[in-house]
Amino acid sequence: MARGTKGRGPMCTMTTRLRVWNLVAIASVVLLAASASASATGKGKGKPVTVSKLEREVDLTSQNLVVASTLDLKNSGSEPLSYFVYCATKIVKDRTLLWIEFEEGDSSGGGDSSGGDVEKLAWTLGDDKCMEVKLSKPLAKNGQTSVEVYEVYSMDFENIPGEIYQSERQMVGFTNFDVVVSDPSLDVNEQTTKFYLPSTTVDYFTEVKPANKVGSEIVYGPYKKGSNPDRSTVTIIVEHPEPLLVIEKVVREVTVSSWNDIEVEEHYHIRNVGPTFKDGFSRVEYSRNPKAYIANDFSLVLPKEAHSLFFIDVLGNITTSNARFEHEKVTVEAVPRFPLVGGWQTHFTFGYKLPKYSFIRTEPKTGSKVLSMDILPAVQGIHINNLTISAAVPEFSTKVGGGALASTVLFTELDPFRLVKTSSGVKKHFFDLFGRPVHTLEMSDISPELSQVAFEFYVKYSFNDILKW
Amino acid sequence: MIGPIFSSLTSISTYLMVRQIRSRGAGLLAASFIATIPSYISRSVAGSYDNEAVAIFALTFTFYLYLKSIRTGSMFWGVCASCSYFYMVSSWGGYTFIINLIPIHALALLIIDKFSSKLYTGYSMFIINGTLLAMVLPVVGFNAVETSEHFSGFFVLALMNGVALVKYLKGTLTEAAYKKALRLFVTTSIAVMGVISLGVITFAMTSPTLRWSGRSLSLLDPTYASKYIPIIASVSEHQAPAWSSFINDLRTAIILMASGIISCFRPLSEGSLFLVIWGVLSVYFSAVMVRLMLVLAPVACCLAGIALSDVLEVLCRSAKYSSDNNQPETQKVEKKKKGKQSSNRRNSASGSKYGLIPRSLALLGIAGIIFVLSYHLFHCSFLGGEGYSSPSIILQSRSRDGGTYVFDDYREGYSWLRENTDYDAKVASWWDYGYQTTAMADRTVLVDNNTWNNTHIATVGRAMASPEKKAWDQFRKLDVDYVFVIFGGLVGYSSDDINKFLWMVRIGGGVYGDIKERDYIGEGYYRIDEKASKTMLNTLMYKLSYYRFAEIVGRDGQDRVRGTKMGNPDVKLTYFQEVFTSKHWMLRIYKVLDKPNLAA
């Protein structure tokens, strides 16, 4: 995963955008070809790949379940190994896979993938939702390599208990997680699972010997092959100091004007899914001891070109917010009308304008225009259950089409892990005669971690500039 | 947008009226006054809507058309006036002001012996058509002929017919016969009218529905409402205004109004008599009820326009013609006088030789007037911008470094109700917040701002004034889920529910016998400090307002509105549960529990 793209510079923005655009064109072709070939040659039902060492790091501190695994692969077979099968949904059960990425590092580097010779691996999806990962070069007999798998799953914390007093801590339960990987396609010799917890206050964790808690970390393992522990699913009950927020629905409406601006309006429905208060919300308690798990503001990040910001709801302007116009981005601290405690929800609309020139480009060959924008909304770091992004292009535009600009099968309409739907319609705006063509993309289950991948929505359209009136 | 459109129409109709009564200059000045007067700006700000913005236009336009009809004697204008009156009736309940003011004016004209066939035509056209049109409206209906508020018009109409008959007889009969006939006529008509009006008055007074309405009666007797109808007296717009609000809302107009009345008497025409009567009556009415400041505003502007135009006329004439040498100057004035007379403009001062003052003094006076007017304009635009353009539910204060600090608690609370309560939840609060809650929180309310029937308002008043257990029983019976109170004690917001509590007790007590005002008074006042009565400290309102307040300000802490300590800092709630309190504690929402929380 391309970490560090978060703070990209102004020049970089353009280049990444263009690069991603090209990449997608290539990737989609490659993907189609690859899937065709995979189905043609039949599934790799061969014997399991030997994993000499599996190290997993499970991050419970963020809004989603992030699992980073290092697999030390060893070719114990007689023929060169060109691919292996990885079944993410079998290893982590009952959770929705939001993102997966494979990287092959230098085997001599000892699994540390931060070196320069790290390569992203292409993968294809089988019928059983398992990934067939193609290694960068076939592994010779007894050869070794190390593959890093970066996975993001939906989080399913349980509030334990479901009702608390305002003076109490917010405890969450994390259950039903296998610390021993038993996947028929992987032959694991030794494995360790390490949990990063949101706090050091742990009420309970399942003992699967050897298990160790140090500060806010719990290490399960190492488990050797054959030393089958009597149970492998664990439960951890830990204090979570952060608000457990979920964006139930966000609708992003992008309107490309015939003139110079792109208007963006984002309609949010945010809910705090944390434990509810037994005796109501008390302002005295809140002023005396403002718990961090009560959400008091949302941080929004907008492109640096953003201007004319507004923050409203059905009752009008929300007077409490703060915007900082920085060099590379605009950050907004938006305070909702009331602090969000467990069980409460809020609706609001955030809007801004962007200049056209940095988001729309004209394809020199066909003369058609391409609008490309981030799919993710401005509110950062919150899991999104449903996202709708629609772009209304100027009236009288023709040949309108578009979708998500993704480098893998994820987030395209072929994605088996979530609903992705594109549709088109017409939207009437001020003084329109027939309405503007609208292209809409709907998606479910999107993780905030994806802000780190270049992940864009594009709409292609043809528009005769003579009609610009 | 309706406010600004109608306020511009108002200033046009004011100009037409004053131009007709006096002169073009006076009309322009009056129109510019009404365009800037804060009292009317407060009702016609863009972005808000108040039917009074429409009503004041209808009022001035009706008067203009009526004056035109009695000046020209044209039936057409009379019918126009009644149509405009119809518009007024459909827009505002204050139409009774018109239907009483016009007969009073006509009566005054009869008394000063200015009866003419033109007056007769215009007046009878207006009264008859206007009444018929008003009866079309369902809200008014037969009230237009049955209630005593409308009787004066018919009475004057009858009187006018009598006078007309007398005048006719005077023309036809000889001197002696006329005197006899007059005596006979006057005695019989007085007797008949006396009997009829006595009968009508006793009938109207005894029947409960046809009496003068409470609001009108409280105008005639300012103490009436506080004695009998607390719900009318409780509305802050129905209180007597403070002196400062006259100056604040009318500014220069109220000062110039007095001289305007004087200048209306030289010469006294039917139009200027009308302005005098209107002015005097509305000064009285607005002194009784602050809301009727709105009726005073247009006439104050008209009179101020007339006064100022007279003054300016003298000053300008002096500046032009006055010089150290008196001889040629008189000749010029002589010439001017002739010119003026031929142009048939009714201008009191224009023809007079008097009133010329030295030129330097005149210039000084003009400069002074320009200064006063620009100061007036500055004040009005400041007040319009600062005082009347901001919504009343969002409060602002200025911080020391010049920034504004916003108290947005109302919307915070309403937004919370909208987001985090059941859609079917029923909310009880004092009736002032009824429509707000319905519109902004989108929840069913127990009482709203409708005052056709005040029993339901009394029910909430009674519950708020009851001890917690009794209030809980009442709210449970009414199926209420949430109760909220407005509390200003933390930030010093003075129009909160504790300050309105007097009216809850009075309105509640007016309907239900178990609430007695004297129980809530401690040492002569409504108070919440140590000297407050026991009943007061036990009321639901007190408890909901001060629940856990002592934990913020301390047991000896002060309530910033009342400036006193709390009578009982340790408030315990058993039947209600605090669910939300806004940032500055202005809106406190409580849940009505299903069963008492005895553990607490």
Side-chain angles (χ1 to χ4, degrees):
Chain A
M1 167 137 306
R3 279 184 192 271
T5 45
K6 220 172 187 180
R8 49 195 182 194
M11 280 306 292
C12 191
T13 324
M14 282 305 291
T15 48
T16 20
R17 232 173 235 128
L18 296 180
R19 202 199 62 205
V20 166
W21 175 247
N22 295 331
L23 190 141
V24 161
I26 298 161
S28 53
V29 174
V30 168
L31 266 176
L32 285 174
S35 59
S37 69
S39 54
T41 51
K43 287 255 68 78
K45 278 240 164 106
K47 56 180 192 250
V49 177
T50 310
V51 178
S52 54
K53 200 169 153 200
L54 169 63
E55 277 176 2
R56 289 198 295 170
E57 294 182 351
V58 182
D59 188 2
L60 299 184
T61 58
S62 72
Q63 294 281 322
N64 291 91
L65 179 63
V66 180
V67 182
S69 328
T70 312
L71 286 82
D72 287 340
L73 295 184
K74 191 180 171 194
N75 186 2
S76 50
S78 49
E79 281 160 44
L81 185 73
S82 59
Y83 68 90
F84 69 99
V85 175
Y86 185 85
C87 280
T89 46
K90 282 184 191 160
I91 293 169
V92 178
K93 291 192 191 83
D94 303 330
R95 289 174 171 93
T96 314
L97 179 69
L98 305 177
W99 181 255
I100 191 161
E101 201 170 76
F102 299 90
E103 276 175 9
E104 188 174 355
D106 190 13
S107 58
S108 59
D112 182 18
S113 67
S114 61
D117 46 356
V118 176
E119 201 171 333
K120 266 192 196 176
L121 300 182
W123 52 273
T124 53
L125 207 58
D127 298 330
D128 51 353
K129 294 185 186 173
C130 287
M131 288 89 193
E132 200 167 287
V133 187
K134 195 166 178 287
L135 291 173
S136 56
K137 54 179 184 287
L139 203 56
K141 193 182 170 190
N142 284 330
Q144 284 198 4
T145 187
S146 135
V147 173
E148 290 231 339
V149 187
Y150 186 81
E151 295 150 276
V152 181
Y153 295 90
S154 62
M155 187 58 103
D156 54 350
F157 279 138
E158 207 177 308
N159 297 319
I160 295 175
E163 272 192 332
I164 57 171
Y165 286 106
Q166 199 176 333
S167 50
E168 291 178 336
R169 298 162 190 267
Q170 172 176 272
M171 305 298 286
V172 290
F174 178 73
T175 54
N176 191 23
F177 191 85
D178 255 326
V179 287
V180 177
V181 172
S182 52
D183 182 11
S185 58
L186 296 177
D187 179 22
V188 184
N189 288 334
E190 185 188 324
Q191 51 181 310
T192 325
T193 305
K194 190 176 188 181
F195 286 95
Y196 294 103
L197 306 178
S199 73
T200 53
T201 318
V202 177
D203 254 19
Y204 170 81
F205 66 96
T206 315
E207 287 265 3
V208 183
K209 279 184 177 157
N212 244 328
K213 174 184 168 281
V214 181
S216 62
E217 293 174 14
I218 298 178
V219 183
Y220 283 95
Y223 303 111
K224 287 260 178 350
K225 185 180 174 185
S227 70
N228 286 330
D230 43 352
R231 59 174 162 184
S232 61
T233 53
V234 296
T235 297
I236 300 170
I237 299 178
V238 64
E239 181 195 355
H240 203 301
E242 304 275 303
L244 301 172
L245 299 174
V246 159
I247 299 181
E248 292 280 351
K249 191 174 173 62
V250 55
V251 178
R252 304 188 69 210
E253 288 178 352
V254 181
T255 308
V256 180
S257 100
S258 315
W259 299 94
N260 288 325
D261 279 327
I262 299 173
E263 291 164 27
V264 184
E265 269 185 37
E266 303 180 340
H267 308 279
Y268 290 93
H269 173 196
I270 298 184
R271 183 188 290 280
N272 187 334
V273 292
T276 53
F277 288 157
K278 256 178 214 169
D279 54 351
F281 169 71
S282 162
R283 195 55 81 163
V284 177
E285 207 73 58
Y286 187 60
S287 59
R288 200 185 286 156
N289 185 8
K291 292 284 187 191
Y293 59 76
I294 298 177
N296 197 36
D297 58 354
F298 305 120
S299 66
L300 282 74
V301 178
L302 314 175
K304 67 174 167 44
E305 301 94 339
H307 63 99
S308 314
L309 320 182
F310 63 88
F311 180 36
I312 57 168
D313 67 2
V314 277
L315 303 186
N317 181 31
I318 303 174
T319 43
T320 42
S321 58
N322 235 326
R324 270 197 317 279
F325 292 83
E326 291 165 17
H327 198 62
E328 290 174 359
K329 61 189 179 206
V330 179
T331 52
V332 181
E333 183 199 0
V335 182
R337 288 206 187 274
F338 46 84
L340 271 188
V341 312
W344 290 6
Q345 57 172 1
T346 187
H347 290 76
F348 62 87
T349 297
F350 194 89
Y352 52 93
K353 284 185 182 174
L354 298 169
K356 232 170 163 176
Y357 57 81
S358 45
F359 295 88
I360 292 181
R361 65 190 175 83
T362 311
E363 280 188 345
K365 263 189 218 158
T366 54
S368 64
K369 296 179 193 317
V370 181
L371 161 79
S372 51
M373 298 200 66
D374 276 346
I375 286 188
L376 292 171
V379 170
Q380 306 268 307
I382 305 178
H383 178 80
I384 301 165
N385 280 348
N386 286 293
L387 181 141
T388 306
I389 177 166
S390 68
V393 294
E395 210 175 2
F396 307 117
S397 295
T398 49
K399 297 180 201 157
V400 183
L405 201 57
S407 53
T408 63
V409 70
L410 295 179
F411 303 108
T412 61
E413 294 197 10
L414 300 171
D415 189 341
F417 302 109
R418 63 174 57 68
L419 181 89
V420 179
K421 210 170 86 185
T422 53
S423 56
S424 47
V426 168
K427 175 184 165 193
K428 283 253 179 186
H429 209 251
F430 301 118
F431 305 115
D432 279 354
L433 295 177
F434 309 104
R436 307 175 180 206
V438 179
H439 197 78
T440 309
L441 172 71
E442 282 171 77
M443 271 189 205
S444 62
D445 291 308
I446 293 163
S447 134
E449 321 291 327
L450 297 176
S451 63
Q452 294 173 15
V453 281
F455 178 40
E456 299 204 327
F457 169 66
Y458 76 95
V459 172
K460 236 172 150 175
Y461 63 98
S462 299
F463 181 73
N464 191 346
D465 276 329
I466 294 169
L467 289 172
K468 200 178 193 179
W469 49 281
Chain B
M1 275 321 283
I2 291 184
I5 289 171
F6 273 91
S7 61
S8 54
L9 291 176
T10 306
S11 53
I12 291 170
S13 66
T14 307
Y15 165 72
L16 292 172
M17 178 163 66
V18 179
R19 189 189 69 170
Q20 176 179 268
I21 292 170
R22 183 54 67 93
S23 65
R24 182 169 291 183
L28 280 175
L29 280 167
S32 63
F33 270 117
I34 192 99
T36 54
I37 199 148
S39 176
Y40 186 47
I41 287 178
S42 72
R43 305 302 171 132
S44 58
V45 192
S48 77
Y49 172 73
D50 200 326
N51 57 356
E52 284 148 0
V54 178
I56 293 303
F57 160 67
L59 184 86
T60 50
F61 199 58
T62 309
F63 286 155
Y64 160 66
L65 291 171
Y66 170 70
L67 289 177
K68 181 135 190 151
S69 81
I70 62 171
R71 201 166 76 100
T72 56
S74 135
M75 283 171 73
F76 171 72
W77 291 115
V79 173
C80 285
S82 57
C83 288
S84 171
Y85 170 70
F86 171 70
Y87 185 54
M88 171 79 182
V89 177
S90 46
S91 66
W92 194 36
Y95 72 91
T96 44
F97 183 72
I98 297 184
I99 203 68
N100 284 302
L101 182 62
I102 284 177
I104 290 170
H105 171 237
L107 185 67
L109 284 179
L110 290 184
I111 288 169
I112 61 170
D113 198 20
K114 283 221 172 181
F115 175 78
S116 66
S117 61
K118 290 173 177 176
L119 173 67
Y120 184 81
T121 322
Y123 180 78
S124 53
M125 270 293 126
F126 173 76
I127 286 290
I128 294 166
N129 275 321
T131 305
L132 284 175
L133 284 171
M135 285 170 74
V136 172
L137 288 173
V139 186
V140 180
F142 274 92
N143 284 350
V145 287
E146 282 180 345
T147 57
S148 27
E149 282 155 318
H150 303 83
F151 283 165
S152 59
F154 310 126
F155 172 74
V156 173
L157 187 63
L159 196 67
M160 201 177 275
N161 278 312
V163 172
L165 183 64
V166 170
K167 292 260 174 181
Y168 173 73
L169 289 178
K170 191 180 184 182
T172 48
L173 294 180
T174 59
E175 190 76 359
Y178 166 69
K179 272 188 178 161
K180 271 186 189 164
L182 182 66
R183 199 172 298 147
L184 183 73
F185 178 77
V186 168
T187 37
T188 47
S189 62
I190 284 176
V192 170
M193 291 279 276
V195 168
I196 290 173
S197 52
L198 206 67
V200 166
I201 288 168
T202 44
F203 172 71
M205 283 297 166
T206 46
S207 97
T209 50
L210 303 180
R211 300 179 47 163
W212 282 61
S213 72
R215 271 177 215 181
S216 314
L217 271 180
S218 65
L219 279 178
L220 299 183
D221 173 9
T223 58
Y224 176 83
S226 57
K227 273 188 269 179
Y228 301 109
I229 323 169
I231 191 136
I232 287 176
S234 79
V235 179
S236 64
E237 284 193 324
H238 295 166
Q239 311 285 335
W243 268 113
S244 59
S245 71
F246 275 98
I247 303 294
N248 204 28
D249 279 4
L250 302 171
R251 208 66 183 185
T252 324
I254 191 79
I255 300 163
L256 288 171
M257 191 181 160
S259 53
I261 290 179
I262 294 168
S263 96
C264 275
F265 279 102
R266 16 186 299 195
L268 188 67
S269 66
E270 61 241 20
S272 60
L273 177 67
F274 185 82
L275 284 186
V276 170
I277 294 172
W278 181 7
V280 172
L281 281 180
S282 60
V283 165
Y284 169 74
F285 287 149
S286 60
V288 173
M289 214 184 252
V290 67
R291 188 186 197 182
L292 291 177
M293 193 78 90
L294 206 56
V295 176
L296 174 64
V299 70
C301 291
C302 295
L303 290 170
I306 288 172
L308 204 60
S309 95
D310 278 4
V311 171
L312 273 178
E313 179 119 14
V314 171
L315 289 177
C316 292
R317 210 151 37 81
S318 305
K320 197 167 182 187
Y321 302 116
S322 176
S323 62
D324 300 333
N325 189 351
N326 265 343
Q327 210 51 32
E329 172 258 320
T330 6
Q331 284 173 355
K332 275 183 189 165
V333 173
E334 217 75 54
K335 270 185 206 160
K336 185 169 186 285
K337 182 183 167 188
K338 278 171 194 156
K340 274 278 171 188
Q341 275 173 341
S342 61
S343 74
N344 194 23
R345 180 135 289 164
R346 285 190 287 157
N347 231 325
S348 61
S350 64
S352 106
K353 286 186 209 175
Y354 311 108
L356 284 187
I357 53 173
R359 172 175 281 177
S360 51
L361 212 56
L363 289 174
L364 198 68
I366 291 173
I369 283 177
I370 289 173
F371 172 74
V372 167
L373 284 184
S374 44
Y375 180 68
H376 170 81
L377 196 66
F378 175 75
H379 166 84
C380 292
S381 53
F382 170 79
L383 203 65
E386 289 290 310
Y388 294 128
S389 295
S390 41
S392 56
I393 60 162
I394 301 163
L395 311 169
Q396 285 185 348
S397 72
R398 293 215 176 269
S399 59
R400 225 166 289 149
D401 56 352
T404 50
Y405 186 79
V406 181
F407 295 88
D408 211 350
D409 284 40
Y410 278 102
R411 288 197 296 174
E412 182 182 345
Y414 292 137
S415 166
W416 185 86
L417 276 174
R418 175 187 272 266
E419 298 276 11
N420 297 309
T421 59
D422 236 21
Y423 185 69
D424 298 325
K426 283 158 208 76
V427 180
S429 67
W430 188 232
W431 65 288
D432 300 18
Y433 320 111
Y435 287 155
Q436 279 178 16
T437 315
T438 317
M440 300 183 82
D442 196 20
R443 292 294 174 270
T444 314
V445 291
L446 194 61
V447 292
D448 60 20
N449 304 39
N450 173 7
T451 55
W452 283 104
N453 165 7
N454 73 1
T455 318
H456 61 307
I457 295 173
T459 312
V460 172
R462 177 202 192 193
M464 291 293 193
S466 303
E468 198 190 342
K469 168 84 172 74
K470 267 175 87 180
W472 182 72
D473 286 337
Q474 290 162 22
F475 280 139
R476 291 289 295 170
K477 258 180 221 159
L478 294 165
D479 208 13
V480 172
D481 300 300
Y482 294 93
V483 180
F484 74 82
V485 294
I486 305 293
F487 174 63
L490 188 71
V491 288
Y493 173 58
S494 61
S495 47
D496 68 349
D497 278 352
I498 291 281
N499 277 1
K500 289 174 183 169
F501 188 63
L502 155 78
W503 301 108
M504 300 187 201
V505 171
R506 285 191 185 162
I507 295 171
V511 175
Y512 299 103
D514 54 345
I515 303 292
K516 300 208 169 45
E517 191 178 343
R518 62 170 178 277
D519 296 342
Y520 296 89
I521 293 175
E523 300 201 356
Y525 296 101
Y526 275 93
R527 58 202 310 166
I528 48 93
D529 55 3
E530 298 94 330
K531 291 174 184 160
S533 75
K534 264 234 162 66
T535 325
M536 178 74 192
L537 296 181
N538 257 326
T539 55
L540 181 67
M541 177 49 72
Y542 178 86
K543 287 189 164 185
L544 297 188
S545 292
Y546 291 101
Y547 179 64
R548 298 190 82 175
F549 184 56
E551 294 177 40
I552 283 283
V553 296
R555 290 179 58 83
D556 295 329
Q558 282 207 338
D559 175 319
R560 294 225 181 111
V561 176
R562 266 66 59 175
T564 55
K565 290 203 279 186
M566 284 164 281
N568 172 21
D570 310 300
V571 179
K572 289 263 182 300
L573 286 176
T574 319
Y575 299 91
F576 294 84
Q577 184 193 68
E578 183 188 17
V579 285
F580 185 77
T581 297
S582 66
K583 191 174 179 190
H584 306 100
W585 290 56
M586 277 159 55
L587 210 101
R588 308 199 67 186
I589 306 174
Y590 293 84
K591 192 178 169 63
V592 183
L593 291 175
D594 294 338
K595 53 180 191 293
N597 177 14
L598 296 172

